[in-house]
Amino acid sequence: MISGFFLTNGQNSKGVNRFKELRNTPSTHIVYTDDNLILSNTVDRDALGDKICNPLVSENKKLIVHFSGTIYNRKEYIQKYDLPLKPDSSSGDADLILALYLTFGENLLTHLDGTFSFLIYDKNEEKLLLCRDHFGVEPLYYFEAPDFFVFSSTIAGILRLTGQSKNLHHPALAKILLFNYNVGFDTLVEGIKRLPPAHFLKIHGGQPLLKRYWSIDFTPVSRPEETVCQELLQHLRRAVGSCLSGTDQSGVFLSGGMDSSTMLALSAEHEPTSLDTFSYRCKAASFDESQYARQMAEFAGSHHHESEYSSNDVLLMPEVVKAMNEPFSDVGINIATYLLGREAAATGTGLILTGDGGDELFAGHPVYEADKIARYIDTIPRFLLGPLFSLFRQLPDSDQKKNLSVKLKRFSESMSYPRELLSHRWRIYYDAASLLQLAGENLTDAVNWNNLLEDILLINEKTSSFDPLARSLASDYQTVVDFYLRRNDLIRRFNIDIRYPMFDRKLVEYCASLPSSLKIKGWFDTKYIFKKTMEPVLPHSIIYRKDKLGHSIPLKNWIRDDNRVREMILDHVSGETISRRGLFKTSTIAEMTNDHLRKKSNHSHRLWTLAVMEMWLRHHFD
């Protein structure tokens, strides 16, 4: 964890007084201080485990580096730039950051590969740099006041340093309702922002400047298919090897899908001893795909651990939210990540690889297929389709995961959203009217439909030069990827280092240059070039399986059929609780609950998000 307080104006009494107060408070846990800067190392075990990051001060005392994360291939940097460093360092990679800053200045970021958030304080130039990795694996938040600036790996860390009161930022809350995570960089706590991935923030002369240092170019480059397969496999092997370098006991979160199976197969090529693999099993009909994980573990010779995921595990969620900087809600990701992390920690595994990022590399998510269908349907006059979509929206829900009526119902609902949202139109859980109907008196002013979509629409506008699939992928890298990476927050408490080879910068750049026709061949042959590339490495039954479920859990059925799950969720959205907050209308939630229990509609995502929000507020706000 990195954390600090920086005075930008020593004349203002408010900032100076708070600075002095912190310096005289033992609980600040100061690890460095001078006339303008305090660096703190308060450990937040719920969010970060026992991780401690001590700052590094240069020999002349003029440069300070506070670093969290891992720079991949440290030895290669030392050799390439002839740096006077040891292959291993007790300061982590802070000494490498310092050496590269002395060599390249602010341009050091163009040379880095890894996951990181760090601060560089240059006393000679009186400037402070805050930097975050390319995809936002490492968290970093900040708060700006007229006379001081505060930053931390956690929101709680900022609140401790500022001493400010907690006020909910209602527009961020509305975005979480709409998308199940907070799109944009204003957090749920008023005044606190997230530093965007691939950006650095420079404070010089008291003025902050936010600047992007890297972006993905989706301009296609034509190559023979055979060449692509060879080059892609080389990139995948290098990415996996970089994540494993210098590690001890390693493991893989294994679902049995293409992405995680690739991570396992390529990791096994690097590791001389048997890897540990971890998966979960949900025994509910049409939701269990654990046999593929077992098959792949046997193929690779890993030591496989399978955790049972039952309805009873949903009751763990009040504990899980303790690690969330902000609430995000996907019951498959929320609980499953906790279960897998707990199991991995019990085995002594210190590093985990995951297959997250494969869908964005190769267009593997069903939303990209839906995009393709919608581009043709959008050309049909709406007055012709309206009656048909209205009929589909009235279809009842089903207990099954992959059910035609469920797909038609969801597709017809999402077609009413602006096409300019690209793949995000399939990830919205309310329309403008239903969101406004939910909003209580304290939230109504924040529920402005156009404002809530603005962050995504602005991002999408900047992708207009790419083809339709590339536009969706470029948008997702800047939005929903952050949602998937937040599972990292849930793992840190177990003192496990989780790494994502599919978010390797060079691999992402290479795959972005592949024509979209190699990602989705024809209509629905998704991940086409990935599957061709992995044919010599993975079993045919893993590559060409048709029943991939993702992180699907039968929450909708458990709410209806399991008293414990239903009571826990309803307790967090009870009339008394909702009335006390003043954020939502009790009548709307009651109607939503009744419609779900009667199978008129599937409102499990909505109810789960509302319950998770209340759990988060109870722990972090009350």
Side-chain angles (χ1 to χ4, degrees):
M1 175 177 177
I2 67 173
S3 192
F5 187 107
F6 184 57
L7 272 179
T8 55
N9 181 357
Q11 305 304 314
N12 188 295
S13 60
K14 182 178 180 181
V16 171
N17 289 341
R18 183 59 183 167
F19 190 84
K20 291 178 179 178
E21 183 181 347
L22 288 170
R23 292 181 74 168
N24 294 318
T25 304
S27 60
T28 305
H29 295 284
I30 294 174
V31 290
Y32 173 85
T33 186
D34 63 13
D35 293 340
N36 298 308
L37 178 66
I38 291 174
L39 296 180
S40 170
N41 214 349
T42 303
V43 175
D44 187 343
R45 285 184 169 80
D46 282 335
L48 299 171
D50 296 321
K51 186 175 182 180
I52 294 177
C53 304
N54 288 315
L56 179 68
V57 182
S58 63
E59 290 184 4
N60 65 2
K61 313 295 184 184
K62 296 298 184 181
L63 289 171
I64 296 90
V65 176
H66 206 190
F67 177 89
S68 177
T70 303
I71 302 300
Y72 301 153
N73 301 320
R74 174 186 172 89
K75 294 178 182 178
E76 292 182 14
Y77 285 99
I78 294 173
Q79 294 172 358
K80 182 177 181 179
Y81 300 114
D82 194 25
L83 301 176
L85 303 176
K86 296 178 181 179
D88 298 304
S89 172
S90 59
S91 64
D93 289 314
D95 61 337
L96 180 59
I97 298 298
L98 177 60
L100 291 174
Y101 180 75
L102 289 170
T103 304
F104 299 108
E106 294 176 14
N107 290 327
L108 90 158
L109 288 161
T110 62
H111 299 271
L112 294 181
D113 284 304
T115 62
F116 52 81
S117 61
F118 62 84
L119 164 140
I120 298 176
Y121 180 39
D122 189 329
K123 298 180 74 172
N124 284 330
E125 297 190 25
E126 296 183 346
K127 73 177 178 183
L128 183 143
L129 294 175
L130 281 176
C131 311
R132 194 171 179 215
D133 65 64
H134 302 78
F135 302 98
V137 176
E138 287 290 322
L140 191 55
Y141 300 87
Y142 66 94
F143 174 84
E144 182 185 351
D147 55 328
F148 64 90
F149 186 90
V150 177
F151 58 91
S152 180
S153 300
T154 66
I155 290 177
I158 288 184
L159 292 171
R160 279 194 290 265
L161 290 176
T162 62
Q164 72 189 83
S165 58
K166 303 172 187 176
N167 295 311
L168 274 178
H169 184 56
H170 291 143
L173 190 154
K175 290 175 188 176
I176 293 172
L177 295 175
L178 195 58
F179 295 103
N180 285 356
Y181 72 103
N182 182 12
V183 178
F185 300 102
D186 291 313
T187 71
L188 195 52
V189 182
E190 203 169 72
I192 299 179
K193 297 178 180 292
R194 270 182 294 144
L195 185 65
H199 281 72
F200 70 88
L201 185 66
K202 178 168 67 175
I203 303 174
H204 187 53
Q207 298 299 315
L209 173 66
L210 183 65
K211 186 175 181 179
R212 174 180 284 276
Y213 65 82
W214 177 80
S215 58
I216 309 174
D217 184 3
F218 278 87
T219 303
V221 177
S222 179
R223 307 175 183 89
E225 190 173 300
E226 183 178 349
T227 301
V228 171
C229 289
Q230 294 172 353
E231 293 176 346
L232 178 55
L233 187 54
Q234 290 173 0
H235 275 288
L236 287 164
R237 283 185 165 131
R238 178 197 50 76
V240 170
S242 295
C243 289
L244 288 172
S245 60
T247 63
D248 294 320
Q249 187 172 345
S250 303
V252 177
F253 283 169
L254 181 65
S255 69
M258 271 283 292
D259 302 335
S260 63
S261 295
T262 296
M263 295 301 97
L264 173 57
L266 299 185
S267 296
E269 295 177 356
H270 288 272
E271 291 293 297
T273 59
S274 176
L275 290 155
D276 286 278
T277 49
F278 304 89
S279 68
Y280 68 86
R281 183 184 186 189
C282 180
K283 291 184 177 179
S286 82
F287 288 86
D288 183 10
E289 54 183 350
S290 59
Q291 72 272 20
Y292 295 105
R294 292 193 293 272
Q295 176 188 341
M296 188 61 209
E298 182 178 354
F299 174 82
S302 68
H303 183 205
H304 192 55
H305 309 264
E306 186 175 280
S307 298
E308 191 75 28
Y309 187 162
S310 69
S311 59
N312 192 53
D313 293 309
V314 175
L315 308 183
L316 291 168
M317 196 61 198
E319 177 65 24
V320 174
V321 298
K322 294 178 181 179
M324 292 181 173
N325 275 296
E326 293 186 274
F328 68 94
S329 55
D330 182 306
V331 70
I333 294 177
N334 295 151
I335 304 295
T337 300
Y338 182 88
L339 295 175
L340 296 179
R342 186 176 65 183
E343 180 66 21
T347 67
T349 302
L351 183 142
I352 288 289
L353 268 58
T354 84
D356 292 278
D359 283 341
E360 289 72 37
L361 286 178
F362 307 110
H365 199 281
V367 295
Y368 306 122
E369 299 175 67
D371 275 347
K372 199 164 190 176
I373 297 171
R375 282 198 297 275
Y376 290 92
I377 293 180
D378 279 333
T379 64
I380 302 174
R382 193 49 54 96
F383 74 87
L384 294 176
L385 292 173
L388 188 61
F389 284 162
S390 295
L391 178 63
F392 288 160
R393 283 195 288 270
Q394 300 305 313
L395 291 171
D397 189 34
S398 168
D399 291 338
Q400 300 299 307
K401 166 62 180 174
K402 293 196 172 183
N403 177 275
L404 180 59
S405 66
V406 171
K407 292 181 178 180
L408 290 174
K409 184 181 181 75
R410 179 66 174 153
F411 185 84
S412 62
E413 290 170 348
S414 297
M415 282 296 294
S416 65
Y417 304 135
R419 67 187 70 177
E420 292 80 10
L421 287 170
L422 305 178
S423 62
H424 300 283
R425 76 198 294 192
W426 320 110
R427 299 183 175 112
I428 291 180
Y429 292 94
Y430 294 87
D431 59 25
S434 59
L435 187 61
L436 189 60
Q437 186 179 10
L438 173 67
E441 59 181 354
N442 293 337
L443 190 62
T444 302
D445 291 343
V447 181
N448 182 301
W449 181 255
N450 292 329
N451 290 346
L452 296 178
L453 302 183
E454 185 178 15
D455 291 314
I456 289 176
L457 293 176
L458 287 174
I459 288 171
N460 291 354
E461 284 180 12
K462 296 176 182 178
T463 67
S464 58
S465 61
F466 304 137
D467 67 64
L469 176 58
R471 291 190 68 197
S472 287
L473 295 173
S475 176
D476 286 356
Y477 270 113
Q478 299 176 71
T479 51
V480 76
V481 159
D482 181 76
F483 170 58
Y484 297 132
L485 287 176
R486 293 290 57 81
R487 72 184 302 182
N488 203 22
D489 295 344
L490 308 183
I491 291 293
R492 295 176 193 274
R493 62 161 63 187
F494 298 110
N495 297 307
I496 292 173
D497 186 1
I498 186 167
R499 297 186 184 176
Y500 305 90
M502 296 280 200
F503 287 114
D504 175 88
R505 175 179 62 86
K506 294 176 183 176
L507 174 62
V508 170
E509 289 173 343
Y510 180 80
C511 291
S513 74
L514 299 178
S516 291
S517 59
L518 288 181
K519 297 171 183 175
I520 300 182
K521 192 81 166 178
W523 272 95
F524 301 127
D525 192 358
T526 58
K527 293 189 175 180
Y528 168 77
I529 196 63
F530 185 33
K531 291 185 285 191
K532 295 291 290 184
T533 297
M534 296 309 297
E535 282 181 348
V537 180
L538 296 178
H540 183 277
S541 57
I542 294 293
I543 295 174
Y544 292 103
R545 54 176 290 203
K546 299 294 186 181
D547 55 348
K548 188 71 178 74
L549 297 175
H551 299 284
S552 296
I553 294 298
L555 180 64
K556 62 179 180 180
N557 300 340
W558 288 344
I559 293 174
R560 292 166 179 151
D561 303 331
D562 191 297
N563 290 335
R564 296 164 301 171
V565 174
R566 182 168 61 253
E567 288 173 4
M568 185 199 75
I569 292 178
L570 295 186
D571 170 67
H572 287 87
V573 297
S574 67
E576 180 181 353
T577 297
I578 297 303
S579 298
R580 179 168 58 88
R581 300 278 183 201
L583 295 171
F584 314 116
K585 293 175 184 171
T586 57
S587 58
T588 302
I589 294 178
E591 182 180 359
M592 198 185 302
T593 302
N594 290 333
D595 285 350
H596 181 84
L597 296 177
R598 293 188 293 113
K599 296 186 181 182
K600 181 179 180 181
S601 298
N602 175 15
H603 289 312
S604 60
H605 289 89
R606 292 181 174 186
L607 292 170
W608 181 248
T609 299
L610 290 166
V612 169
M613 178 68 69
E614 175 60 27
M615 295 177 208
W616 188 88
L617 289 171
R618 289 182 186 183
H619 179 76
H620 295 275
F621 259 66
D622 293 350

